[in-house]
Amino acid sequence: MPHLRQYLPILDWGRSYNRHSLSNDLIAAVIVTIMLIPQSLAYAMLAGLPPEAGIYASIVPIMLYAVFGTSRSLAVGPVAVVSLLTASAIGQVAEQGTAGYAVAALTLAGLSGAMLLAMGLLRLGFLANFLSHPVISGFITASGILIAASQLKHVLGIEAHGHTLPEILGALVSHLPDIHLPTVLIGISATAFLFWVRKHLKSTLKRMGTPGVLADILTKAGPVGAVVATTCAVWALGLSDQGVRIVGAVPQSLPPLTLPSFAPDLVGALIMPAILISVIGFVESVSVAQTLAAKKRQRIDPDQELIGLGAANIGAAFTGGYPVTGGFARSVVNFDAGAETPAAGAFTAIGLTIAAVALTPLVYFLPNATLAATIIVAVLGLVDLSILKKTWGYSRADFTAVAATILLTLGLGVEIGVAAGVIISALLHIYQTSRPHVAEVGLVPGTQHFRNIHRHSVITDPSLVTLRVDESLYFVNARFLEDLIQKRVTEGPSIKNVVLMCSAVNDVDFSALESLEEINQRLADMGVGLHLSEVKGPVMDRLKRSHLLGALNGQVFLAQYDAWQALTDPHRPLSRVAE
């Protein structure tokens, strides 16, 4: 049974479910459902799909995540960045508005779900760590800018296409003479209203004496207010007949049973985008889930999260949806609204099901400009250009990765941008570890501690050089250590012993082992002893399986102070290095 609960977390939290949890989950579900209805329609439009696809992608996936997911606050469904990635991926294999486009979206969700599920079962959640936080931040910032720019065509009522910022801006400028004034008025009004709601409505309501909970609910329902007002305006004034583009007829139905394509050509074309969507979606989802879980001293299991998200995406593939993940905004709303368990997501799915069956005729006259405004306001909250200033001040390498990710995403597209960010991060890491920090250390007077001779007042012995290697040794930096030791020994003719202090060395690969053997041989030829100190247990286990320890012309010391006592002559004058 415990093994089963590992893969079905619902069996864990479900046993302690009570009336208090039910009440809180229902309240949270109502608030999130109100928020999700316009969001789902908007994100489907962003993905280039019919509006009902957004609602379908928010029903079965949420229910499946409630069964398999470990976060008690995460709200799964369509999100802006994944919707953009979906549009970019399937736009290359099918024409928007065709049946092939919808099938490609289902296939992409199925592939993403299968990958996530497989990664979870194989316990590969750690792979997401290869995407650094600066790269993710840069990518999400650039994606937010791209998404906002791509929606301006709906606000202006013109045609403008493109997958990169220069393409989008160029198309917008070339079509400026075609601006549709009624659409502009709706789009700008809705955008301004939504910004005001986000920044000022809650505080305004509280000043008017509105209870905090009600003020919060009304603030979260702001997009619904914009939807109702603009829909009524279009209907009452007959603006659709004057050229204002509207959502139109949305089917009144439960999510349909659908089947993704297994055509080799289509699957082959979508493999790489599916990997990208899977990893980006997982990283975003787990980041949100861990942040919210920490606030309640709960924990999540990243590998089980992969299974939960995989099941959600497979569910989307078979019920008319497209790729989904945990959304930041709706998850925070779910948390703030008091959601106690994943059952809140299931109740949200029930609310969306009712909306899909009974409320879709009400959005017939909903203008696309309002949906675009909803997207713009939502994604601009993701844009964080301050990450450039932060990384510039802290790490030029991280700044390079962030700046490259942002510029390449904006200039060449989302896939190239994030791929380049990952590659640049990896190359910068390799470069940094190829030149590890190696400190020459001496004894702090009156202690058994050793510190950098250039930073602290320490005692040294001219016949002894102790080098603390602050990095694991592997093929990239092995030669660097060889050259550094060779240079240091030739600078001091009185040097008789060299100690490598290995307290920060977590691994020694075979290339580095051969380098250590070469260093040992060179120092032996020079009449200098090579010693090791503070070698970690796992590293020592591997060294014992090699020839190095047997050939070592020095000793292995448990502590650096032991090496100091054994290798320094108490009658030889010592040097004191000042700070």
Side-chain angles (χ1 to χ4, degrees):
M1 192 67 174
H3 183 72
L4 186 60
R5 285 204 302 269
Q6 178 184 347
Y7 293 101
L8 292 173
I10 190 174
L11 298 178
D12 187 20
W13 60 261
R15 291 189 307 163
S16 58
Y17 201 69
N18 53 40
R19 183 174 297 180
H20 175 74
S21 298
L22 174 64
S23 174
N24 287 339
D25 286 345
L26 284 173
I27 293 172
V30 170
I31 296 174
V32 175
T33 299
I34 292 172
M35 176 186 180
L36 265 182
I37 292 173
Q39 264 198 3
S40 298
L41 298 172
Y43 290 151
M45 183 177 76
L46 175 59
L49 292 162
E52 63 269 19
I55 295 179
Y56 296 158
S58 302
I59 296 177
V60 172
I62 295 179
M63 291 184 170
L64 288 171
Y65 180 82
V67 174
F68 295 100
T70 60
S71 172
R72 301 198 174 195
S73 303
L74 193 69
V76 172
V79 299
V81 173
V82 170
S83 297
L84 174 67
L85 289 167
T86 298
S88 176
I90 60 181
Q92 298 176 21
V93 298
E95 185 177 347
Q96 188 173 325
T98 64
Y101 193 92
V103 170
L106 299 174
T107 305
L108 189 60
L111 286 171
S112 178
M115 290 175 183
L116 289 166
L117 187 61
M119 288 173 66
L121 293 173
L122 295 173
R123 318 299 287 176
L124 298 179
F126 70 90
L127 291 177
N129 297 332
F130 287 95
L131 275 177
S132 69
H133 177 71
V135 167
I136 291 292
S137 297
F139 173 70
I140 290 177
T141 291
S143 296
I145 295 171
L146 269 182
I147 291 168
S150 71
Q151 296 308 296
L152 290 176
K153 64 183 180 183
H154 297 296
V155 173
L156 300 176
I158 60 179
E159 290 290 338
H161 301 286
H163 295 292
T164 66
L165 190 61
E167 290 176 355
I168 294 171
L169 294 180
L172 288 171
V173 171
S174 65
H175 287 88
L176 281 179
D178 304 327
I179 283 179
H180 189 251
L181 188 56
T183 301
V184 172
L185 291 174
I186 292 171
I188 291 179
S189 299
T191 304
F193 172 75
L194 290 173
F195 271 119
W196 178 81
V197 165
R198 172 170 286 198
K199 297 289 185 181
H200 304 293
L201 179 58
K202 189 173 182 178
S203 59
T204 302
L205 290 172
K206 285 186 174 181
R207 284 198 302 269
M208 294 169 60
T210 307
V213 175
L214 180 59
D216 196 51
I217 293 174
L218 291 175
T219 301
K220 300 299 188 297
V224 177
V227 166
V228 172
T230 55
T231 300
C232 291
V234 170
W235 169 72
L237 301 176
L239 296 179
S240 61
D241 297 329
Q242 300 177 34
V244 173
R245 296 177 183 177
I246 59 175
V247 168
V250 177
Q252 280 182 271
S253 68
L254 295 171
L257 291 176
T258 53
L259 191 67
S261 172
F262 298 97
D265 291 345
L266 181 61
V267 171
L270 296 177
I271 282 288
M272 289 308 298
I275 294 174
L276 187 61
I277 287 173
S278 299
V279 175
I280 292 290
F282 173 61
V283 170
E284 180 179 355
S285 179
V286 167
S287 298
V288 175
Q290 288 177 332
T291 300
L292 297 180
K295 292 183 178 182
K296 289 189 176 181
R297 296 193 177 185
Q298 298 168 347
R299 64 175 297 275
I300 67 164
D301 180 351
D303 292 314
Q304 185 60 32
E305 283 298 290
L306 282 166
I307 294 174
L309 292 173
N313 277 278
I314 291 173
F318 288 93
T319 55
Y322 68 99
V324 298
T325 192
F328 176 76
R330 72 173 67 99
S331 296
V332 171
V333 170
N334 196 38
F335 179 87
D336 290 342
E340 294 276 347
T341 72
F347 296 142
T348 299
I350 294 172
L352 289 171
T353 302
I354 295 172
V357 173
L359 302 181
T360 50
L362 300 180
V363 299
Y364 182 90
F365 288 102
L366 173 59
N368 289 346
T370 301
L371 294 180
T374 301
I375 294 173
I376 290 171
V377 173
V379 300
L380 287 182
L382 302 175
V383 175
D384 179 20
L385 292 175
S386 68
I387 190 69
L388 292 170
K389 181 179 179 180
K390 293 174 184 174
T391 53
W392 176 263
Y394 185 75
S395 167
R396 299 298 167 86
D398 285 335
F399 170 82
T400 302
V402 172
T405 302
I406 291 175
L407 292 175
L408 291 172
T409 300
L410 293 176
L412 298 177
V414 288
E415 293 94 343
I416 293 178
V418 73
V422 173
I423 292 171
I424 290 171
S425 291
L427 291 176
L428 287 172
H429 174 73
I430 291 172
Y431 174 75
Q432 289 173 325
T433 56
S434 71
R435 303 177 63 82
H437 179 258
V438 179
E440 184 170 344
V441 299
L443 179 66
V444 178
T447 74
Q448 296 183 12
H449 300 295
F450 291 79
R451 294 292 185 268
N452 192 324
I453 65 172
H454 300 298
R455 291 178 178 269
H456 301 274
S457 177
V458 295
I459 300 170
T460 61
D461 185 326
S463 70
L464 175 66
V465 172
T466 297
L467 300 175
R468 190 190 68 223
V469 184
D470 295 333
E471 184 66 67
S472 291
L473 298 176
Y474 70 123
F475 66 95
V476 171
N477 57 29
R479 183 59 185 268
F480 173 83
L481 185 63
E482 281 188 51
D483 295 340
L484 186 146
I485 292 175
Q486 179 78 12
K487 179 181 178 183
R488 179 65 184 89
V489 171
T490 55
E491 287 176 351
S494 60
I495 296 173
K496 301 300 181 185
N497 292 288
V498 172
V499 180
L500 290 183
M501 187 175 172
C502 302
S503 53
V505 177
N506 295 317
D507 188 33
V508 176
D509 76 355
F510 191 76
S511 297
L513 175 66
E514 290 187 325
S515 287
L516 289 175
E517 291 174 344
E518 180 65 24
I519 292 169
N520 180 61
Q521 184 59 51
R522 287 184 187 177
L523 293 180
D525 293 342
M526 298 167 66
V528 176
L530 175 65
H531 311 268
L532 306 177
S533 74
E534 302 190 7
V535 182
K536 292 184 176 180
V539 177
M540 180 59 74
D541 291 341
R542 296 182 67 178
L543 292 181
K544 286 178 179 178
R545 299 196 296 267
S546 72
H547 299 293
L548 175 66
L549 298 182
L552 194 68
N553 66 348
Q555 303 177 57
V556 177
F557 295 95
L558 181 64
Q560 176 58 31
Y561 189 70
D562 296 339
W564 173 268
Q565 288 185 310
L567 301 175
T568 55
D569 184 349
H571 303 294
R572 185 187 301 119
L574 302 177
S575 302
R576 189 180 182 102
V577 181
E579 291 182 270

